[in-house]
């Protein structure tokens, strides 16, 4: 959950295989930020005569997995084109590199601050040399395909352990030598006008610190970012960068990972099973990142004009987190993919192994609402992305309270905040039709989500002694029953006139990344009622068992809205456990084992998460 998410980049794509891809043989650089719809600050060590104005296709380098080590808290590879060993580790808010040169050369350590980088596009860079060991600056990020704040500014400081000989720079095709400052390009274009998943582009811009190196020389580099100010980035760096001893920092990073992964201890099994288990836990703890600085400040980007999934004309505010009596911030603020349907994975697993995290996330999500009125689905850098549907934070926050884990926000305040977001105009996305008829028109998937979230909120109201609110939201949780279709014994979407949208239970229309066969069982709060509608528990289990039998030949992995059961995505990942609610736990045991081996059993790079919509640890959580 650290602020820095540094990793090598081998495929610079917005979707479908961007980031690090094991089948790649070339590395394009080492970005410092890998967040949900947020990226930036690429570092690339080079030697020789490299023209950075030609872009990443020119400065990239070959590498081999034979020379690569990848571990939690540590990564190493060899840049074959330049003869450089690149090792990286991290602290909570800084990236740390050890570069070892294997030949005499002129070295250039590039910092790319312009152009598209995976999920976002960098432009408007401002760079300033600070003495002979340090540079500072900022850049803007645009072009988030899935929405969010239209612009997020990133501030950074990069510090070297030995003085550089000179600082060069480039903006587009123009190159500069011996500079003290640089202003990057502000030009923004659309990369592929006719491509559905097109994203913005901007000319490459950046600086390069040059050194004369000899065989065996080492240069250490530390990076830090802030979403508030350059001064905060420097404070983050100074706070975490207490030593240039790379191995000591690496040990500390790995000790922290061992502590977090070691919350759940495994005995027995095969080496492959243990590898898979801890890789899954690593995914569960990897994806979400802090956005607050060491001084407690963080950006508030909620105040602006919503335009679809974006927020524009933002009035940027700097907020400060409250502190406890010991001077520690009460909680952190997070950048995160949506918490959509996490009631079946992360909420459960975090509560078991890392009970502080449901509390942390709940407090963060409620503070977002304190700033902007809405509880975010997938927050980006202090603002909203509106990704997915409903108010998926509700089950997370309610579970934190009902498990006795809520310490960092006031339960009554949290309830009233969710209550507002469950009304028209709130993040749940309901209208008067839902309040009157109990279902979301033309979308059975959204109906199930809203019903379950209403039921969850009712459970918190019960414990808070709010009888009227408990009854109100409890009554709202039954609307899915109007979507039950007796002739098919499944749920189907209806329009405003109460007519079925279609007759095909394997069709995704009127669902969210699912279909009737996959998502009918998602009414976790009323499975006995569903069983009664189907004619009893035997028929209930018989129908679900048929679905698993149909999906088994494809290993329970299908694309959105395809197949009878899909464990590649959230809507179906509770289904094997439903048999226990139908009185046949042995079928849960059987299908859980089949799914575990067939859908999740791989440990090779292509099979480990082959075809899965991982969403920052959700499939790992299952």
């Amino acid at each position: 959950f650290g602020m820095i998410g540094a990793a090598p980049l081998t495929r610079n794509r917005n979707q479908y295989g961007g980031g690090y891809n094991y089948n790649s043989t070339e590395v394009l650089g080492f970005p410092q930020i890998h967040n949900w719809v947020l990226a930036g600050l690429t570092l690339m060590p080079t030697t020789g005569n490299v023209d950075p104005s030609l872009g990443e296709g020119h400065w990239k380098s070959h590498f081999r997995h034979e020379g690569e080590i990848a571990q939690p808290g540590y990564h190493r590879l060899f840049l074959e084109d330049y003869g450089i060993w690149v090792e990286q580790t991290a602290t909570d808010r800084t990236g740390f590199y050890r570069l070892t040169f294997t030949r005499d050369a002129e070295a250039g350590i590039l910092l790319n601050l312009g152009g598209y980088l995976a999920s976002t596009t960098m432009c408007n860079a401002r760079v300033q040399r600070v003495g002979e060991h340090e540079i500072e600056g900022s850049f803007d990020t645009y072009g988030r395909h899935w929405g969010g704040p239209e612009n997020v500014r990133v501030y950074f400081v990069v510090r070297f352990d030995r003085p550089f000989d000179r600082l060069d720079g480039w903006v587009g095709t123009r190159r500069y030598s011996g500079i003290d400052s640089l202003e990057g390009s502000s030009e923004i274009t659309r990369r592929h006008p006719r491509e559905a998943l097109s994203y913005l582009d901007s000319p490459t811009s950046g600086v390069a610190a040059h050194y004369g190196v000899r065989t065996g020389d080492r240069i250490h580099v530390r990076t830090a970012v802030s979403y508030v100010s350059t001064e905060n980035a420097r404070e983050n760096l100074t706070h975490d960068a207490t030593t240039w001893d790379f191995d000591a920092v690496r040990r500390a990073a790995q000790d922290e990972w061992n502590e977090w992964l070691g919350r759940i201890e495994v005995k027995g099994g095969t080496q492959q099973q243990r590898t898979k288990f801890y890789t899954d836990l690593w995914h569960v703890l990897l994806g979400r990142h802090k956005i607050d600085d060491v001084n407690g400040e963080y950006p508030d980007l909620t105040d602006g004009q919503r335009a679809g999934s974006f927020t524009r004309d933002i009035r940027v505010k700097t907020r400060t987190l409250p502190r406890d009596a010991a001077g520690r911030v009460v909680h952190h603020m997070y950048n995160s993919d949506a918490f959509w349907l996490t009631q079946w994975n992360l909420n459960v697993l975090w509560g078991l192994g890392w009970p502080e995290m449901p509390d942390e996330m709940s407090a963060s999500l409620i503070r977002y609402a304190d700033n902007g009125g809405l509880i975010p689905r997938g927050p980006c850098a202090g603002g909203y992305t509106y990704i997915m549907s409903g108010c998926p934070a509700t089950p997370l926050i309610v579970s934190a309270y009902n498990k006795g884990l809520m310490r960092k926000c006031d339960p009554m305040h949290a309830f009233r905040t969710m209550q507002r977001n469950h009304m028209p105009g709130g993040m749940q996305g309901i209208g008067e039709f839902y309040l009157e008829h109990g279902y979301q028109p033309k979308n059975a998937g959204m109906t199930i989500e809203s019903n379950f979230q209403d039921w969850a909120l009712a459970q918190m109201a019960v414990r808070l002694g709010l009888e009227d609110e408990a009854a109100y939201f409890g009554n709202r949780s039954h609307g899915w029953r109007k979507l039950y279709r007796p002739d098919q014994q499944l749920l189907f979407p209806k329009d405003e006139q109460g007519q079925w949208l279609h007759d095909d239970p394997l069709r995704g229309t009127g669902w969210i990344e699912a279909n009737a066969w996959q998502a009918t069982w998602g009414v976790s709060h009323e499975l006995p009622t569903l069983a009664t509608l189907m004619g009893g528990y035997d028929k209930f289990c018989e129908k679900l068992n048929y679905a698993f039998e149909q999906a088994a030949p494809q290993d329970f992995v299908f694309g959105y809205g395809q197949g009878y059961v899909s464990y590649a995505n959230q809507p179906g990942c509770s289904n094997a456990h439903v048999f226990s609610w139908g009185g046949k736990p042995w079928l849960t045991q059987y299908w859980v084992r089949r799914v575990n081996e067939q859908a999740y059993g791989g440990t090779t790079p292509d099979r480990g998460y082959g075809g899965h919509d991982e969403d920052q640890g959700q499939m790992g959580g299952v």
Side-chain angles (χ1 to χ4, degrees):
F1 299 103
M3 194 168 191
I4 283 286
L9 177 76
T10 66
R11 281 189 186 175
N12 197 358
R13 300 177 62 180
N14 191 306
Q15 295 289 308
Y16 308 128
Y20 179 92
N21 186 281
Y22 189 82
N23 295 323
S24 301
T25 60
E26 297 173 327
V27 63
L28 306 175
F30 299 84
Q32 303 307 290
I33 302 171
H34 283 74
N35 281 4
W36 162 242
V37 295
L38 188 61
L41 191 61
T42 300
L43 180 147
M44 182 64 182
T46 65
T47 57
N49 185 20
V50 175
D51 182 355
S53 70
L54 298 177
E56 64 189 19
H58 181 68
W59 68 57
K60 66 184 179 182
S61 173
H62 291 86
F63 75 103
R64 302 181 191 178
H65 295 305
E66 290 82 356
E68 186 179 24
I69 296 174
Q71 301 169 344
Y74 176 72
H75 183 265
R76 183 193 80 172
L77 59 72
F78 184 66
L79 301 179
E80 295 186 351
D81 293 18
Y82 302 120
I84 305 172
W85 284 104
V86 180
E87 298 172 275
Q88 59 179 330
T89 187
T91 63
D92 200 31
R93 288 185 172 83
T94 71
F96 192 6
Y97 292 83
R98 179 165 64 188
L99 311 176
T100 304
F101 298 87
T102 62
R103 55 180 181 243
D104 298 355
E106 162 105 0
I109 301 175
L110 312 182
L111 289 174
N112 183 39
L113 308 168
Y116 71 91
L117 176 58
S119 58
T120 51
T121 298
M122 300 178 289
C123 65
N124 295 324
R126 302 288 188 272
V127 187
Q128 184 71 42
R129 172 176 171 161
V130 183
E132 298 178 329
H133 293 81
E134 188 172 295
I135 62 173
E136 66 178 25
S138 67
F139 54 90
D140 293 337
T141 64
Y142 288 87
R144 276 161 275 282
H145 174 73
W146 295 110
E150 184 177 38
N151 176 29
V152 175
R153 180 163 292 177
V154 179
Y155 301 88
F156 66 89
V157 173
V158 180
R159 187 175 295 168
F160 306 85
D161 72 332
R162 59 182 268 191
F164 40 82
D165 299 333
R166 74 178 190 277
L167 188 67
D168 291 351
W170 74 96
V171 179
T173 59
R174 301 188 303 276
R175 298 177 65 182
Y176 307 93
S177 181
I179 61 174
D180 292 323
S181 62
L182 181 86
E183 290 191 8
S185 174
S186 60
E187 178 185 348
I188 296 177
T189 58
R190 184 161 291 279
R191 189 162 180 254
H192 295 299
R194 290 187 295 274
E195 183 180 317
L197 287 175
S198 177
Y199 40 105
L200 302 179
D201 201 0
S202 185
T204 178
S205 305
V207 295
H210 285 274
Y211 294 88
V213 297
R214 302 188 69 83
T215 302
D217 279 0
R218 281 179 167 172
I219 297 176
H220 295 79
V221 186
R222 299 199 76 143
T223 64
V225 300
S226 168
Y227 303 104
V228 173
S229 68
T230 305
E231 293 74 20
N232 281 14
R234 179 170 289 104
E235 188 176 356
N236 291 340
L237 183 61
T238 301
H239 180 271
D240 280 21
T242 57
T243 177
W244 285 107
D245 186 339
F246 182 91
D247 291 323
V249 175
R250 172 189 174 183
R251 286 193 298 272
Q254 296 193 313
D255 286 345
E256 182 171 352
W257 271 111
N258 277 327
E259 194 279 321
W260 280 72
L261 294 171
R263 300 280 188 95
I264 300 179
E265 183 179 351
V266 172
K267 295 180 180 178
T270 65
Q271 177 66 33
Q272 185 182 39
Q273 289 173 322
R274 293 192 296 271
T275 295
K276 179 60 178 175
F277 184 84
Y278 284 111
T279 301
D280 289 335
L281 291 193
W282 183 61
H283 277 235
V284 163
L285 302 172
L286 183 67
R288 292 155 175 84
H289 295 275
K290 297 182 182 75
I291 63 167
D292 55 290
D293 296 317
V294 71
N295 64 7
E297 292 183 342
Y298 68 94
D300 173 8
L301 305 183
T302 61
D303 185 6
Q305 299 300 314
R306 181 175 178 181
S309 59
F310 287 90
T311 305
R312 293 175 176 155
D313 302 321
I314 297 173
R315 290 168 284 277
V316 180
K317 301 180 179 70
T318 297
R319 305 280 190 181
T320 303
L321 290 166
R323 295 183 180 272
D324 60 19
R328 298 180 296 251
V329 296
V330 175
H331 64 87
H332 296 287
M333 296 295 286
Y334 293 90
N335 197 94
S336 172
D337 194 357
F339 290 95
W340 186 60
L341 305 185
T342 53
Q343 66 261 24
W344 296 324
N345 43 65
L346 294 183
N347 297 3
V348 181
L349 187 55
W350 281 352
L352 290 170
W354 305 273
E356 64 269 46
M357 289 317 302
D359 193 18
E360 271 276 298
M361 290 298 176
S362 297
S364 174
L365 294 167
I366 293 299
R367 192 163 299 277
Y368 269 97
D370 290 343
N371 295 339
L374 300 175
I375 303 176
R377 296 169 184 157
C380 172
Y384 300 120
T385 62
Y386 304 100
I387 186 71
M388 302 316 296
S389 53
C391 191
T394 294
L396 170 63
I397 298 168
V398 171
S399 71
Y401 174 70
N402 278 357
K403 293 171 184 175
L405 303 177
M406 186 174 285
R407 301 286 187 274
K408 298 181 178 182
C409 64
D410 176 68
M412 186 62 75
H413 175 60
F415 177 86
R416 295 303 183 192
T417 303
M418 288 184 285
Q419 182 181 21
R420 290 196 307 273
N421 275 272
H422 279 229
M423 300 304 292
M427 187 58 88
Q428 195 176 36
I430 63 167
E432 294 297 332
F433 186 94
Y434 177 81
L435 297 182
E436 182 177 351
H437 299 279
Y439 68 91
Q440 298 263 37
K442 298 182 181 179
N443 203 302
M446 290 176 62
T447 299
I448 293 173
E449 290 175 37
S450 299
N451 283 185
F452 178 81
Q453 292 156 10
D454 285 341
W455 174 85
L457 193 56
Q459 308 317 300
M460 187 168 179
V462 169
R463 286 201 62 197
L464 288 170
L466 304 173
E467 295 181 4
D468 290 345
E469 290 87 341
Y472 172 73
F473 286 107
N475 288 333
R476 275 178 41 171
S477 71
H478 306 316
W480 66 269
R481 300 176 188 178
K482 295 184 177 181
L483 303 185
Y484 181 76
R485 189 162 174 169
D487 62 328
Q488 300 238 22
Q489 294 188 312
L490 294 168
L491 303 186
F492 274 77
K494 280 183 177 179
D495 62 18
E496 290 88 342
Q497 288 72 43
Q499 302 299 311
W500 303 114
L501 286 193
H502 58 82
D503 300 319
D504 186 356
L506 290 172
R507 183 177 170 187
T509 303
W511 298 91
I512 302 177
E513 300 181 2
N515 59 40
W517 271 108
Q518 292 174 15
T520 290
W521 319 94
V523 291
S524 299
H525 58 301
E526 291 196 313
L527 289 172
T529 302
L530 179 63
T532 299
L533 290 172
M534 289 182 171
Y537 288 118
D538 286 344
K539 291 185 177 180
F540 172 83
C541 290
E542 180 182 339
K543 193 170 188 70
L544 183 57
N545 193 65
Y546 172 81
F548 273 89
E549 289 174 340
Q550 298 306 303
Q554 286 77 42
D555 295 331
F556 317 99
V557 175
F558 297 89
Y560 294 161
Q562 301 174 20
Y564 287 80
V565 175
S566 180
Y567 270 82
N569 198 23
Q570 289 92 323
C573 67
S574 70
N575 288 7
H577 292 81
V578 169
F579 292 105
S580 293
W581 292 84
K584 298 187 178 182
W586 57 90
L587 288 177
T588 286
Q589 294 165 0
Y590 176 78
W591 288 115
V592 160
R593 282 159 174 76
R594 287 285 300 270
V595 169
N596 187 49
E597 290 304 315
Q598 292 180 232
Y600 295 135
T603 55
T604 60
D606 58 339
R607 290 289 295 166
Y609 288 90
H612 296 168
D613 194 354
E614 227 306 62
D615 282 348
Q616 299 191 347
Q618 291 208 52
M619 297 303 103
V622 178

